[in-house]
Amino acid sequence: MYSIVIYFITGLLLVISLIASRKKTLMALKKAWRSFEGILPELIAILLFVGLLIALLNPETISQLLGESSGVLGLLIASAIGSITLIPGFVAFPTAVMLLNNGAGITQIALFISTLMMVGVVTFPVEKKYFGIRLTIMRNVMAFGFSFIVAGLMGVILG
Amino acid sequence: MKAKRYVFPLVTAGLVFAVFAADNQIGLNALSITGSSFLEMLSVIPPIFILLGLLDVWIPREKIIRHLGEESGIKGIVLSFLLGAAAAGPLYGAFPIAAVFMKKGVKFSNVLIFIGAWSTTKIPMFMFEMGSLGAGFALLRLAINIPGILLMAIILERITGKESIGAICAQAASISE
């Protein structure tokens, strides 16, 4: 649904742009393609790698590892999986629900969701192209630390 | 040089193939997960890049500086949040946009707020989160994240320092040319 809206708006703006100036529109499309091609190799590798990683991990084992009483180890595993993998939201949230139903703790799940969204280990090669190595490391380390705060607060309030 | 960039994905593809040879089921699962991520990418990334190209060509630097630049204050912060939250798609889609922002003179902390908002407060994702994990979970997470994103942006801007920020912006500008 959302993607239809985005495609529609983009198409509309593209037509308007084309009417306004053919030359500028071509320039915009050229820039769009060049930026896209710039991250394409990393993107393909990332998507293949993450597919492999998730296929190798099995949901029952994960639920057990992330259980209510899994303590520090569970937190470490949750944050490691969340940080490394890159899972689309429409897969991640239902997975989180499934893990909760299988006995995973709320703190662990909040940590998993938060690191999944904010920390990107596999996307590091793409991020550092734009922000440089130092800032990329700092941003990810801070986001990693912050995810523990988020999860801790959520565990205390909702748990 | 250009072909060399594709070594990394080819090696990964070889790895997937090796796993497939060892265990068909796991190999197929891996490919189907990769397939669904690829669909997610296709559903939003191409239009994002086209919008980016149009933004770069049509919106003058002065206008962007006025709304999101050094002097944009609270308005710039709110606007950066909204731009990030209105987005869709994985975080790597935000980096090229951030590069154009930097090139056009957006205040560095606003770029970081945009990245933060994109990573974790996207509106379509939020709706989905409410639907699956419940309003309590989604709202609480949002309430903690908003000040967190702001704080992290300010701290990151401080510790990066003016000189490095200049270098990063120059680098970003050269990529998005």
Side-chain angles (χ1 to χ4, degrees):
Chain A
M1 180 59 208
Y2 200 78
S3 73
I4 296 174
V5 175
I6 287 196
Y7 267 89
F8 181 76
I9 293 173
T10 308
L12 200 69
L13 289 174
L14 208 54
V15 170
I16 296 171
S17 168
L18 203 60
I19 294 169
S21 160
R22 207 186 141 86
K23 202 177 126 218
K24 277 194 163 186
T25 308
L26 280 177
M27 209 156 88
L29 285 175
K30 216 180 267 173
K31 278 176 193 252
W33 171 249
R34 225 175 306 149
S35 325
F36 182 61
E37 209 270 335
I39 63 167
L40 195 59
E42 284 87 357
L43 210 56
I44 295 173
I46 289 165
L47 295 184
L48 282 169
F49 181 73
V50 170
L52 195 59
L53 200 65
I54 298 173
L56 289 171
L57 299 167
N58 122 2
E60 288 86 51
T61 330
I62 301 179
S63 302
Q64 259 173 6
L65 291 173
L66 301 186
E68 204 73 71
S69 54
S70 60
V72 179
L73 184 66
L75 290 176
L76 288 178
I77 295 169
S79 60
I81 299 175
S83 300
I84 295 169
T85 53
L86 179 87
I87 309 171
F90 63 83
V91 178
F93 290 125
T95 308
V97 174
M98 189 191 74
L99 294 175
L100 277 175
N101 292 340
N102 278 330
I106 193 100
T107 314
Q108 284 81 357
I109 290 303
L111 187 58
F112 166 70
I113 294 278
S114 191
T115 48
L116 182 65
M117 296 189 154
M118 300 187 115
V119 184
V121 172
V122 288
T123 51
F124 189 86
V126 177
E127 187 169 353
K128 81 161 207 283
K129 268 192 180 177
Y130 294 95
F131 286 108
I133 289 183
R134 209 174 88 99
L135 182 61
T136 301
I137 291 176
M138 286 195 303
R139 190 197 72 76
N140 280 288
V141 168
M142 276 183 86
F144 186 78
F146 177 66
S147 296
F148 278 84
I149 299 176
V150 175
L153 284 173
M154 292 188 71
V156 169
I157 297 171
L158 297 175
Chain B
M1 194 59 215
K2 229 177 166 181
K4 209 176 124 197
R5 298 176 47 227
Y6 283 87
V7 169
F8 186 34
L10 279 174
V11 169
T12 323
L15 205 63
V16 175
F17 186 76
V19 169
F20 181 78
D23 186 328
N24 286 0
Q25 195 48 49
I26 293 180
L28 281 179
N29 281 348
L31 284 177
S32 98
I33 293 162
T34 300
S36 76
S37 313
F38 202 73
L39 279 182
E40 189 210 21
M41 182 201 87
L42 278 188
S43 73
V44 286
I45 293 292
I48 285 177
F49 277 92
I50 293 176
L51 287 174
L52 191 64
L54 291 173
L55 172 105
D56 199 359
V57 171
W58 285 109
I59 316 258
R61 193 182 151 83
E62 298 70 42
K63 203 165 212 170
I64 295 206
I65 289 181
R66 190 154 14 106
H67 294 294
L68 295 164
E70 287 302 327
E71 311 291 324
S72 59
I74 293 183
K75 192 184 72 174
I77 293 175
V78 173
L79 199 57
S80 308
F81 250 114
L82 292 178
L83 282 169
L91 186 58
Y92 54 73
F95 300 137
I97 300 183
V100 174
F101 278 177
M102 286 189 261
K103 186 175 91 174
K104 296 253 181 191
V106 171
K107 188 173 192 230
F108 199 66
S109 57
N110 285 346
V111 173
L112 294 168
I113 289 171
F114 168 77
I115 293 281
W118 181 306
S119 73
T120 196
T121 64
K122 286 184 298 255
I123 293 162
M125 211 50 100
F126 178 73
M127 302 298 197
F128 196 55
E129 184 176 353
M130 279 224 280
S132 41
L133 287 162
F137 188 95
L139 283 170
L140 182 59
R141 218 173 62 79
L142 182 69
I144 303 170
N145 271 317
I146 290 176
I149 289 167
L150 202 61
L151 201 65
M152 282 194 286
I154 293 167
I155 296 173
L156 278 175
E157 185 183 53
R158 283 277 162 81
I159 54 179
T160 305
K162 281 222 159 57
E163 244 172 78
S164 313
I165 290 176
I168 292 167
C169 290
Q171 157 84 6
S174 76
I175 295 177
S176 63
E177 254 330 299

